[in-house]
Structure formats: C-alpha cells, structure tokens
Amino acid sequence: MKITLIAAMDDNLGIGRDGKLPWHNKYDLQHFKDYTKYGICVMGSNTWDSLPVKPLPFRTNCVVSKDIYADKHDNSDRVFSSISDCVNYWKNITNELIIIGGASIYKQFLPYATHMVLTHINGDYNCDTFFPEFDASEWFAYEWKDIENGKIHYMERT
C-alpha cells in the first residue's frame, strides 16, 4: 500500500501557525484538492478541528485520535486510536492513504511513508508547527512543478 504524506511548508519546514496555514497559495490549495479528491485522507484531531469544512468533500475523512469517542469526530468517516490500527484497517482495502497532517501525525507516519508530496512555499512564515525532519538521502524526487512563490516536489522512498 502506498502511504503518501502531503504537506506545504516554508523555508524552515514550517507548516502552521496558531492552528492555521500561515499563507494563502491558491496553486497549492488547488493542488491539494486535486491530489486528495476521492482519496482516503488521514489526519490528527487538531487538523480535523482546523478544517473550514467538515468533512472534506469527495474524500474519506479519517481521524487518528486518543479519544476515539469524542463527539467532535462525528462527521468523520472513521476514527482510529493509533497509526497501526489505521494502516491495518486500510491495507487490504485501498492502494493509497494520504496523510494530511498535522505535525504529530506526519512524524508518526514518516516511518511507514512510501511517498511524499511536498510544496515548498518560499519564505519564513514564523510558524509554530513544523514538518518532521527527514533524511533526504532516503528519498528520490521524481517530479516537481513550479508554482507561484514555490515548488511542488513528488518524492518516493529509495
């Protein structure tokens, strides 16, 4: 099964500030929408809470949370208590899980990840939340696209 981490980050691997995206990049937002549409999106509770629209339309919304019975997850399609429970549930059902954040979920899924789709947004946005550091030598960038104020990198684990 393909496990893809998708994220946008600034020059310092920053992915958020005060529970929100610290930039508005219409090209990256459209790319995220196009890439995740009809996919199985996995996120943590904080990311779920930050969504402007719940659930994300035309996607299967999965939340990984220590509190799987929380009412706030009622509109999600599935809630899992651990990364391994999530992976085990989906491994024979789908060919790709798309991990959409946040920082803790990215860090926990990084050892399982086979692919990453990372948008680099040029600049320092004074973030308080960061994508986990990773060993770039373990990843092969097989495609990239230039967008306004950044670049989207498609990567596969070597």
Side-chain angles (χ1 to χ4, degrees):
M1 175 174 54
K2 182 176 174 182
I3 297 179
T4 303
L5 307 184
I6 187 169
M9 62 190 65
D10 72 5
D11 293 345
N12 301 311
L13 302 181
I15 58 173
R17 185 177 64 230
D18 300 326
K20 298 179 181 143
L21 287 177
W23 51 74
H24 180 82
N25 185 300
K26 66 181 181 180
Y27 302 101
D28 176 61
L29 292 173
Q30 186 62 50
H31 173 261
F32 176 85
K33 182 179 178 182
D34 293 344
Y35 190 92
T36 62
K37 194 170 188 177
Y38 305 116
I40 298 169
C41 294
V42 180
M43 68 200 86
S45 286
N46 290 340
T47 299
W48 173 257
D49 291 343
S50 75
L51 294 177
V53 175
K54 292 180 195 65
L56 290 172
F58 306 108
R59 297 157 188 86
T60 300
N61 291 248
C62 299
V63 178
V64 177
S65 173
K66 293 175 188 163
D67 187 4
I68 63 171
Y69 300 108
D71 290 341
K72 68 181 183 174
H73 302 133
D74 282 350
N75 288 340
S76 67
D77 296 300
R78 295 258 179 227
V79 181
F80 298 95
S81 61
S82 70
I83 300 300
S84 60
D85 285 351
C86 179
V87 171
N88 287 332
Y89 177 85
W90 290 109
K91 70 181 175 186
N92 295 319
I93 298 173
T94 187
N95 59 359
E96 183 179 24
L97 289 181
I98 306 167
I99 314 309
I100 67 169
S104 174
I105 297 299
Y106 287 136
K107 186 174 183 176
Q108 292 175 66
F109 266 103
L110 190 57
Y112 296 93
T114 60
H115 293 76
M116 292 195 289
V117 178
L118 304 178
T119 302
H120 174 240
I121 305 292
N122 296 325
D124 178 352
Y125 287 82
N126 195 28
C127 293
D128 58 19
T129 309
F130 298 87
F131 193 83
E133 290 190 23
F134 60 93
D135 183 351
S137 70
E138 294 179 5
W139 296 90
F140 170 70
Y142 61 89
E143 185 182 347
W144 61 90
K145 291 181 190 174
D146 289 319
I147 60 170
E148 186 176 303
N149 195 35
K151 190 172 286 219
I152 300 171
H153 301 270
Y154 298 84
M155 304 170 81
E156 187 171 346
R157 195 178 288 273
T158 56

